[in-house]
Amino acid sequence: MSQALIRRPWQAILAAILLFFLVLLISKSHVHSGIPSTLGFSQSGLSSPVAINQTLGFQQIFVVSLPERTDRRDSMILATALSDIKFDFIDAIHGDQVPDRAIPFGTGRSAAGGDSNIGSWRAHMNAISEVVRRNLTTALILEDDADWDIRIKDQLYDFSRSSRALIQPLASDSRAYADSTYPTPSSPDALPSKDLDFYDLPSTLQPSKSPYGDEWEMLWLGHCGMNFPVKGMGGDGRADLIPKGRVVRLDDQTVPETQFMYSVSEVKDLTQYPNHTRVVSHAGDGICSLGYAVTQASARRLSYHLGVTEITGQFDIMLKQFCDGTAGKGHHNCLTVRPGLFQHHRPAGLKAYNSDISDHGQEVRKKARSDNLRWPVRTNFDALLAGTTDYKDQFPDTAG
Ligand SMILES: *[C@@H]1O[C@H](CO)[C@@H](O)[C@H](O)[C@H]1NC(C)=O
Ligand SMILES: *[C@@H]1O[C@H](CO)[C@@H](O)[C@H](O)[C@H]1NC(C)=O
Ligand SMILES: *[C@@H]1O[C@H](CO)[C@@H](O)[C@H](O)[C@H]1NC(C)=O
């Protein structure tokens, strides 16, 4: 302490009091502005200060990819570099390299959709087995044509707030949840009294295992369609045991107007909400295995149900069965977000090259695009490399 202050203690006290109120003021204004940097999505994009790290809040990221698709590997490496994301490739293989004797009991190659789909199944199983073998606590598994908005870290931060609101116990009562139908609805008709508002989420206990909450088994972040688990979904009782809570975020400027959204089942239920709404809920009837996160416990269960015991369909169909609790797989705690945060990228060129699994025809696509994303990384390589923030919006709003 300086001589001057010691000689005039009242000044030191005054300074301390002023400092106290200043700190109080700053912390208050923080609380009131709500979610720093995520409400308005700072233009700084990638350098946003949120708590999502280089592996996006998971212990590891794996990208499943055929070694000879060097075009996709180059593009993925660039997209992750420009997004400050770390990952490892998992080599995919062709189905004809999987011998019949390596295909588990069940309906075999044909039910899994033939050679190309058996290859996809094997590639994903390799990723899942690697999570088990390395004893990873959590991992995100992506396919190599996945794209994301340049604001992905902000989006995942927001997703983590939403997922925690659905599955973490309340701070005020550690035996209760904000979603009254979690972990299991009391009856098939049970519904939460209302949607949870993203801008007014309840306070929940801090998770200890993952920033996304403790008890999830799968975060289905990249898909080509999903349904809200409502009574009657799938024409049977499969949704009866799935929690029905939703976190609804209005005015999410990273969501295109609904008219621009690709994929019928992605859009279907979203039309009940205004344009630019994003909804986090439990998964129902999911399609496509573009991006999903697993935990050590769920990777072991996936390995068992989708590999070791029996093949009951194409890989993504089995993911759906795992979440919906059909085909003898039991229910699992799967969360999802709509529209998805990872979406398919479709590069310019022959459409037939889009997929090593399904036929996409002989047309040529003149311009690269990515479904349902406003500022996709891969259609903004130019701006990102130039270091500008002049990002190309794929889906500008129609009305001024
Ligand atoms: C990112 O955060 C996750 C979850 O806290 C952690 O497991 C992982 O090791 C972190 N990754 C890096 C690169 O620090
Ligand atoms: C796996 O990790 C857990 C902690 O996350 C540890 O308790 C366990 O011993 C590990 N198992 C192996 C086989 O390394
Ligand atoms: C979304 O925006 C479009 C274009 O402005 C408009 O036609 C449509 O009615 C809007 N949808 C909703 C649900 O407000």
Side-chain angles (χ1 to χ4, degrees), residues 3 24 92 117 230 242 244 288 306 315 322 334 349 382 392 399:
Q3 287 297 313
L24 197 71
N117 280 296
V230 290
I242 306 179
K244 309 289 190 304
C288 295
L306 278 59
F315 181 77
F322 182 82
C334 303
D382 280 347
K392 268 179 265 162

Side-chain angles (χ1 to χ4, degrees), residues 223-225 256-268 270 288 339-340 343-344 346 351 354 360 365 369-373 395:
H223 51 79
C224 14
E257 283 177 353
T258 315
Q259 57 167 332
F260 296 125
M261 280 199 238
Y262 177 81
S263 156
V264 175
S265 57
E266 175 87 305
V267 184
K268 199 175 54 188
L270 285 179
C288 295
Q343 297 279 349
H344 282 101
R346 325 249 175 205
K351 289 189 180 174
N354 270 1
H360 283 240
R365 180 178 295 104
R369 69 177 181 84
S370 298
D371 302 336
N372 307 336
L373 299 172
F395 305 110

Side-chain angles (χ1 to χ4, degrees), residues 291-349:
Y292 56 97
V294 298
T295 64
Q296 180 57 218
S298 69
R300 292 176 184 192
R301 289 170 193 144
L302 284 161
S303 170
Y304 174 66
H305 285 295
L306 278 59
V308 172
T309 38
E310 184 182 9
I311 297 225
T312 51
Q314 299 177 11
F315 181 77
D316 64 332
I317 303 283
M318 290 198 284
L319 281 188
K320 167 173 88 168
Q321 294 167 343
F322 182 82
C323 288
D324 289 356
T326 52
K329 294 181 175 29
H331 270 283
H332 297 279
N333 195 358
C334 303
L335 293 169
T336 191
V337 53
R338 304 173 61 187
L341 299 180
F342 295 93
Q343 297 279 349
H344 282 101
H345 177 66
R346 325 249 175 205

Side-chain angles (χ1 to χ4, degrees), residues 1-170:
M1 212 178 262
S2 78
Q3 287 297 313
L5 285 182
I6 288 169
R7 262 185 267 122
R8 287 196 254 274
W10 61 271
Q11 282 182 340
I13 291 167
L14 191 69
I17 290 172
L18 280 177
L19 192 69
F20 173 76
F21 279 108
L22 193 68
V23 168
L24 197 71
L25 198 72
I26 289 169
S27 62
K28 268 267 181 343
S29 72
H30 233 79
V31 170
H32 281 289
S33 68
I35 322 98
S37 93
T38 50
L39 270 176
F41 279 112
S42 64
Q43 290 293 304
S44 64
L46 296 176
S47 57
S48 60
V50 299
I52 297 296
N53 64 12
Q54 292 179 322
T55 45
L56 301 180
F58 305 99
Q59 195 180 349
Q60 193 100 28
I61 299 178
F62 289 132
V63 173
V64 171
S65 168
L66 284 166
E68 75 267 23
R69 285 305 297 267
T70 48
D71 55 327
R72 290 183 170 201
R73 290 194 166 207
D74 288 347
S75 179
M76 177 55 85
I77 289 170
L78 188 57
T80 50
L82 292 169
S83 311
D84 193 30
I85 291 173
K86 277 199 224 162
F87 78 98
D88 287 318
F89 281 120
I90 294 278
D91 287 348
I93 65 167
H94 289 279
D96 57 14
Q97 291 163 359
V98 182
D100 281 342
R101 1 182 236 297
I103 300 174
F105 170 76
T107 33
R109 204 177 286 271
S110 62
D115 262 352
S116 47
N117 280 296
I118 264 299
S120 160
W121 163 78
R122 193 57 247 163
H124 281 279
M125 289 312 298
N126 285 351
I128 288 168
S129 281
E130 196 61 10
V131 175
V132 176
R133 195 183 67 79
R134 288 206 222 167
N135 200 20
L136 301 176
T137 52
T138 56
L140 174 65
I141 298 169
L142 296 175
E143 290 178 352
D144 61 358
D145 51 347
D147 200 0
W148 49 87
D149 194 286
I150 62 168
R151 295 159 286 191
I152 186 69
K153 290 185 181 177
D154 290 328
Q155 292 176 318
L156 281 169
Y157 176 74
D158 292 345
F159 175 81
S160 75
R161 302 183 68 238
S162 303
S163 60
R164 279 183 287 175
L166 290 174
I167 64 172
Q168 283 297 108
L170 290 171

Side-chain angles (χ1 to χ4, degrees), residues 180-191 240-244:
S180 59
T181 64
Y182 185 82
T184 311
S186 55
S187 76
D189 296 304
L191 286 174
D240 293 359
L241 295 174
I242 306 179
K244 309 289 190 304

